[in-house]
Coordinates of all heavy atoms in Angstrom, one line a residue:
D36 N 31.4 -5.1 12.5 CA 31.5 -4.2 13.6 C 32.8 -3.5 13.5 O 33.7 -3.8 14.3 CB 31.3 -4.9 14.9 CG 31.2 -4.0 16.1 OD1 31.2 -2.7 15.9 OD2 31.2 -4.4 17.2
Y76 N 43.3 -12.4 -1.4 CA 44.2 -11.9 -0.3 C 45.0 -10.8 -0.9 O 45.1 -10.6 -2.1 CB 45.1 -13.1 0.2 CG 45.9 -13.7 -0.8 CD1 47.2 -13.1 -1.2 CD2 45.5 -14.8 -1.5 CE1 48.0 -13.6 -2.2 CE2 46.3 -15.4 -2.5 CZ 47.6 -14.8 -2.8 OH 48.3 -15.3 -3.8
A82 N 53.3 -2.2 7.1 CA 52.4 -1.6 8.1 C 53.3 -1.0 9.2 O 54.5 -1.3 9.3 CB 51.5 -2.7 8.7
Q88 N 56.9 0.6 15.4 CA 57.4 -0.6 14.8 C 57.1 -0.6 13.3 O 56.2 0.1 12.8 CB 56.8 -1.9 15.4 CG 56.8 -1.9 16.9 CD 55.3 -1.6 17.3 OE1 54.8 -0.6 17.0 NE2 54.8 -2.5 18.1
N133 N 79.3 6.2 2.4 CA 78.3 6.9 1.6 C 77.6 5.8 0.7 O 77.8 5.7 -0.5 CB 78.9 7.9 0.6 CG 79.6 9.0 1.4 OD1 79.0 9.6 2.3 ND2 80.9 9.3 1.1
G156 N 44.3 0.2 18.0 CA 43.1 -0.5 18.4 C 42.0 0.4 18.8 O 40.9 -0.1 19.1
P176 N 46.4 25.1 6.9 CA 45.5 24.9 8.0 C 44.1 24.7 7.5 O 43.6 25.3 6.6 CB 45.7 26.2 8.8 CG 47.0 26.8 8.4 CD 47.2 26.4 6.9
E194 N 36.5 7.7 0.4 CA 37.1 6.6 -0.3 C 37.9 5.7 0.6 O 38.1 4.5 0.3 CB 38.0 7.1 -1.5 CG 37.2 7.7 -2.6 CD 38.1 8.3 -3.7 OE1 39.3 8.4 -3.5 OE2 37.6 8.8 -4.7

Side-chain angles (χ1 to χ4, degrees):
D36 186 8
Y76 60 85
Q88 316 100 306
N133 298 310
E194 290 176 352

